[in-house]
Every structure is written in C-alpha cells, then in structure tokens.
Amino acid sequence: KIEEFEKLVEAVGSFEAKYHLADLYYLLGELEKSLDLYRELLEEETEKGNLENIAKIYYNMGLIHEELLEYEKALELMNKAEKVLDDLGKEEDVAQIRIHKAYITFEMGEISKAKAQLARILPQVLGNNHLRAQIHLVFEEIFEDKESYEAALHECLYAMLHARNTEYFDVAFDSLIDVLWQMMMEDQFEVVYNNMDMFTNAFEDMREFFEGVKAVALYKDGKIGREDVSEYITKIDDRRLLDLLEFLSEAEL
C-alpha cells in the first residue's frame, strides 16, 4: 500500500501527511528516503518558523542516524531538538529527549556517563510515571548489557510499576520478557526463580504467570518435575501469557 499512501501524501501536501510518510519510510527500513523527506520538511518548516515541527524533525532525524550507528550525528540533531523545545518551555518533551540521549550515550559505550545523565533527569520527573518508567528501562538495558541480571530484573520491576495503567506498561513488560529469555538462554535459572516472588507480589493480577515462570526456572534447574510445572500452567487463563510462558520454557543454548 506504500505507493497509494505516497500518492495521497502528494495530493494532500500537508506537514502531517509528509511527516507520517517519512516515519513510515523509517519503519520500513528505507532510511535514506526518510532522511531526504525530513530534510525537505525541515526546509519548509524553517521558512514558516514552525518551531515545534522543527523540533520533531530534528528528533526523528536523530533516530535515523542512531539506527545507522552514527551516534555523534544523532546526538547533534537531538541537541538541536532539545534547544528548540527548551526555548518553547516544553519541559516533558525536553526530558524525553534527554532520556534518549542518555540511551545513545550508553550505546556509545560511555556507561558511567549515561548513568550519571539518567540520575540527573530522575529527580526532575518524579511526578511523571511515563518518563520514570523509561529511565528505569534504560538502566535495565545497561545492567543487562553487563550481565547484571538481578539488577536488570529490579529495573524491570520499577518500570512496570511506574507504567501500570498506562500505554507504556506493555513496553516495560516486553522488556522483562526479553531479560527472562536471555537469562533462560544463559542458564541463570536460580536468579530467575529467586526474583519472581517480587513480581508475583507486585502484580496480583498476573500472579499465575509469574508463578509459572518461577516453576519453569525451577524445572530447568532440576528442582521440580515436569508435572509440577503443568500444575502452574493450567492456572493461566490469558492466552497471550500462556504463549509467553511456553516461549520462555523453550529457551535453550
């Protein structure tokens, strides 16, 4: 359907239409086409003086250069977006960009600097659960990268708690599944089953799932039998959670 959307955008010609097309190119992996369209938009919006749109363009161009592993260029563009939004008094948007800049800093291998940047932002967003969840997920990535899995699990817990009842909860939960998968792959079973009670107690509505994860880890570590795992699995009614538990149980080297 991409050609149909391109024709529609050409006919409409608005910023919003072109912006969404550039984002679609990015999602489809056509990064150069996305950059070309963003550059065109940047020129148009600069002539019009639409500062918020300019900031959006700089930020999204930064994401593309990050995808291309051009981290210095990504930070340069995000700094420009941050400056515009700071001048406009958009505090939440500025914090959002700073969190992502810290993540890019981590990707560049400057872990201590990234953690310090996140720590600077955290006191400023204590009343914003959405942003606090994002900060904890960056910390999770850092700890997982260093194979500090217990710390990574704690950060997932904090992220899920802050994201509870928001659209960001699924992102935090997916990050937890990624960590658990990696731990299962690396036979870190004891760390898994020793930490699942935290999640069971924090998320009563998902108790059966986390008890099932614990049982799978205990089984893989030779602590319980297959029939004990089955007992926990039969308690899970949510098909998605059941599929995820089966996914984790199949993790192997």
Side-chain angles (χ1 to χ4, degrees):
K1 297 286 184 178
I2 184 68
E3 291 183 4
E4 291 181 26
F5 189 55
E6 288 172 333
K7 290 177 182 177
L8 176 63
V9 170
E10 186 176 355
V12 174
S14 66
F15 167 79
E16 289 77 12
K18 293 180 181 178
Y19 180 81
H20 286 303
L21 178 58
D23 188 45
L24 182 57
Y25 285 147
Y26 167 69
L27 294 172
L28 291 171
E30 298 191 44
L31 303 185
E32 290 302 327
K33 289 180 74 172
S34 183
L35 277 175
D36 287 342
L37 186 49
Y38 278 130
R39 291 187 187 107
E40 178 185 322
L41 277 173
L42 183 60
E43 186 175 335
E44 293 175 0
E45 296 305 302
T46 300
E47 288 179 4
K48 297 174 184 176
N50 292 333
L51 296 180
E52 281 196 55
N53 288 348
I54 290 170
K56 288 180 181 179
I57 295 166
Y58 278 139
Y59 179 76
N60 281 21
M61 290 176 70
L63 293 178
I64 295 173
H65 285 285
E66 179 189 4
E67 189 75 15
L68 293 168
L69 307 184
E70 297 171 351
Y71 298 128
E72 294 290 350
K73 184 64 176 178
L75 287 176
E76 177 189 330
L77 289 161
M78 289 196 176
N79 283 334
K80 290 182 178 181
E82 180 185 343
K83 174 67 166 59
V84 173
L85 292 168
D86 195 34
D87 290 343
L88 291 172
K90 301 284 186 178
E91 294 181 5
E92 183 172 339
D93 293 330
V94 169
Q96 177 84 61
I97 289 177
R98 287 175 179 169
I99 292 169
H100 202 95
K101 284 170 55 181
Y103 182 74
I104 294 174
T105 302
F106 153 65
E107 290 183 302
M108 295 170 69
E110 299 182 51
I111 294 176
S112 296
K113 184 177 179 181
K115 290 164 71 174
Q117 290 173 344
L118 292 170
R120 180 183 293 274
I121 302 165
L122 193 53
Q124 302 167 10
V125 299
L126 292 179
N128 189 316
N129 284 333
H130 178 78
L131 294 178
R132 290 176 73 182
Q134 291 185 50
I135 289 173
H136 284 296
L137 286 182
V138 178
F139 274 122
E140 179 276 310
E141 292 265 6
I142 291 172
F143 288 123
E144 183 182 1
D145 184 69
K146 288 297 184 181
E147 299 183 359
S148 299
Y149 292 121
E150 191 157 21
L153 286 176
H154 291 169
E155 295 300 331
C156 285
L157 177 71
Y158 304 144
M160 288 172 62
L161 285 170
H162 292 310
R164 199 201 309 251
N165 300 322
T166 75
E167 72 282 358
Y168 209 70
F169 182 82
D170 284 345
V171 177
F173 181 63
D174 288 345
S175 293
L176 171 64
I177 298 301
D178 288 342
V179 176
L180 290 173
W181 169 262
Q182 189 63 37
M183 294 172 71
M184 294 289 194
M185 291 281 286
E186 297 185 17
D187 295 347
Q188 298 286 324
F189 308 127
E190 185 175 359
V191 180
V192 173
Y193 58 70
N194 281 339
N195 283 278
M196 280 305 98
D197 287 347
M198 290 193 308
F199 293 90
T200 300
N201 290 334
F203 302 98
E204 183 64 34
D205 56 331
M206 302 176 73
R207 169 176 291 276
E208 289 80 10
F209 172 74
F210 290 120
E211 286 179 343
V213 173
K214 181 178 180 178
V216 167
L218 285 165
Y219 168 70
K220 284 179 171 286
D221 205 26
K223 304 296 184 182
I224 62 174
R226 182 181 294 273
E227 64 281 356
D228 297 307
V229 179
S230 300
E231 179 182 338
Y232 285 99
I233 291 177
T234 56
K235 296 178 182 179
I236 301 173
D237 297 323
D238 188 309
R239 183 69 232 181
R240 175 174 177 254
L241 294 179
L242 185 58
D243 288 343
L244 286 172
L245 186 58
E246 291 175 352
F247 166 73
L248 291 173
S249 68
E250 294 169 0
E252 59 186 22
L253 291 174

